[in-house]
Amino acid sequence: MEMVQNHDPNTPLEYQSETGRLNILGFWVFLGAEIALFGTLFATYFALMYRTGNGPTPGELFEIKGVMIETFLLLTSSFTCGIAVHEMRRHNKKGLMIWMIITLLLGLGFIGFEVSEFISYVHEGATLKTSAFWSGLFVLVGTHGAHVSVGILWVSAVLIQVARRGLVPATAKKVFITSLYWHFLDVVWIFIFTGVYLTRMVISHG
Amino acid sequence: MASHSESRFPWKHLVGFIFSIVLTLIALWVGLYSGFSTKMIITFIVILAILQAIIQLFMFMHVTESENGKWQTGTMLYAAFIAVAIVAGTIWVMSFGMGYMDHKDMKDMKGHDKMEMKHDDSGNMDNMDMN
């Protein structure tokens, strides 16, 4: 058990224990490392951007419609995740559960669209080993997709704990940390949307 | 310490959500329909993406909240610096002398490659073909 602190009742649950505060700070440090990881993958992608070899070019295969659907699904899921934490801070366990489950469904929708996008690339003859460009793309976008998948499993596990143990400082801290993770994935996707898909379409058009 | 200032209705989240949707639509319009020069479009959409990241950090992630707010903000600034250094540094180094994103220069470069092929038989030059 954690030491009981004398705190002001207005302090959100997740910050009430020393462990909670340190875990949240530690998670921010982890997100800093994740930014460096994705920065490296973006750098690789940009360096290999024109190395399509004899394979298909992204201009032939990228489709704005699917990418926009993925973007709006993820943006909306980030919003519903924020609402879930807002409900948690009002000590509304049911509200937290409902909004988090909506978030998970939106996340699953995102993964569904991404998987079908990847499958269609492979059908068109663009696989991980087709060219340096496609390697860079699959690794960057795939790493993000893997993060979202892990996020779905992680949030589900935390929700089960909340359902069993209720809203206490220990579970609130976990919900808050998973929400940071989820918003972070949305930030990364915005840069993938901008730097990978939109930029490429601008170059193909121009 | 973060005071419990959340009101009943999550205005901050709603405003953040509307902003992120609007910024995405502006980026889409600028990217596909504005007809600006490629360099200008890319500069503009990257600025929009950074704005969106800032909205997520402040409206949704409450980055400045808690007694550790300064450390959290500092970590994010440091990480952003690392990311910019890696990405910009890589593009700069890898595109050195290649006229990145400039098709005129690329043609010149192809001619340049042929000249170099005479001296260099490494066979890597085929891969240099852009597009």
Side-chain angles (χ1 to χ4, degrees):
Chain A
M1 276 304 282
E2 287 140 3
M3 296 280 285
V4 179
Q5 329 258 323
N6 23 339
H7 41 68
D8 131 36
N10 282 331
T11 302
L13 276 176
E14 64 269 23
Y15 289 113
Q16 283 186 7
S17 71
E18 180 71 28
T19 316
R21 290 194 292 275
L22 280 177
N23 283 169
I24 291 167
L25 175 62
F27 196 75
W28 280 102
V29 175
F30 169 76
L31 287 185
E34 290 277 277
I35 290 174
L37 164 73
F38 279 104
T40 311
L41 294 179
F42 270 106
T44 311
Y45 172 81
F46 289 130
L48 302 175
M49 200 170 164
Y50 296 106
R51 311 292 173 92
T52 47
N54 297 323
T57 65
E60 291 163 6
L61 301 193
F62 281 1
E63 270 178 28
I64 193 68
K65 197 180 150 209
V67 175
M68 286 314 286
I69 294 174
E70 284 167 39
T71 303
F72 283 120
L73 282 174
L74 214 55
L75 281 177
T76 311
S77 80
S78 194
F79 171 64
T80 56
C81 179
I83 301 291
V85 170
H86 175 83
E87 289 301 322
M88 179 174 83
R89 290 190 170 177
R90 294 174 56 218
H91 301 276
N92 178 358
K93 184 179 152 188
K94 201 180 162 193
L96 161 69
M97 299 293 272
I98 290 170
W99 285 105
M100 266 309 189
I101 288 168
I102 295 173
T103 305
L104 287 179
L105 293 175
L106 291 166
L108 278 173
F110 171 84
I111 290 293
F113 272 95
E114 187 157 86
V115 167
S116 72
E117 182 195 324
F118 279 14
I119 289 174
S120 79
Y121 290 161
V122 172
H123 273 286
E124 305 279 344
T127 67
L128 190 64
K129 52 184 184 176
T130 301
S131 63
F133 169 83
W134 288 105
S135 303
L137 179 111
F138 279 122
V139 171
L140 170 60
V141 181
T143 303
H144 175 268
H147 273 72
V148 175
S149 309
V150 169
I152 291 171
L153 296 176
W154 187 14
V155 173
S156 310
V158 170
L159 284 185
I160 292 169
Q161 287 194 358
V162 173
R164 284 194 181 162
R165 297 196 216 163
L167 269 183
V168 291
T171 50
K173 166 200 87 184
K174 293 179 185 180
V175 172
F176 188 74
I177 286 175
T178 52
S179 84
L180 290 181
Y181 183 75
W182 198 268
H183 295 309
F184 170 74
L185 294 180
D186 191 47
V187 173
V188 174
W189 178 260
I190 290 162
F191 283 96
I192 291 179
F193 166 71
T194 306
V196 175
Y197 294 102
L198 210 47
T199 301
R200 190 62 213 205
M201 282 171 199
V202 171
I203 291 171
S204 317
H205 276 230
Chain B
M1 202 62 209
S3 67
H4 198 52
S5 56
E6 325 263 316
S7 53
R8 261 188 78 80
F9 191 79
W11 285 110
K12 224 177 169 181
H13 291 101
L14 189 67
V15 169
F17 181 52
I18 293 170
F19 265 107
S20 59
I21 294 285
V22 169
L23 289 176
T24 304
L25 291 175
I26 294 176
L28 184 71
W29 181 81
V30 170
L32 299 187
Y33 309 109
S34 69
F36 298 145
S37 74
T38 305
K39 259 185 192 151
M40 234 173 104
I41 291 175
I42 290 174
T43 312
F44 206 80
I45 59 179
V46 168
I47 291 171
L48 290 175
I50 293 168
L51 278 178
Q52 289 229 47
I54 292 171
I55 285 174
Q56 293 275 331
L57 280 171
F58 285 91
M59 302 300 228
F60 294 162
M61 294 166 86
H62 320 275
V63 63
T64 53
E65 165 183 277
S66 107
E67 64 195 14
N68 296 317
K70 276 182 191 157
W71 291 100
Q72 291 163 186
T73 314
T75 304
M76 286 298 106
L77 286 173
Y78 177 61
F81 168 74
I82 296 288
V84 169
I86 293 172
V87 174
T90 303
I91 293 174
W92 178 53
V93 160
M94 297 306 288
S95 64
F96 197 79
M98 275 193 191
Y100 212 73
M101 293 197 304
D102 189 333
H103 293 269
K104 254 188 207 163
D105 288 358
M106 250 179 245
K107 272 179 205 151
D108 293 350
M109 201 205 75
K110 277 181 193 168
H112 200 71
D113 279 346
K114 275 175 201 150
M115 276 163 50
E116 275 188 4
M117 284 285 263
K118 287 172 191 161
H119 315 286
D120 182 3
D121 272 334
S122 63
N124 285 333
M125 287 306 168
D126 293 345
N127 300 334
M128 298 293 281
D129 193 11
M130 311 266 129
N131 290 334

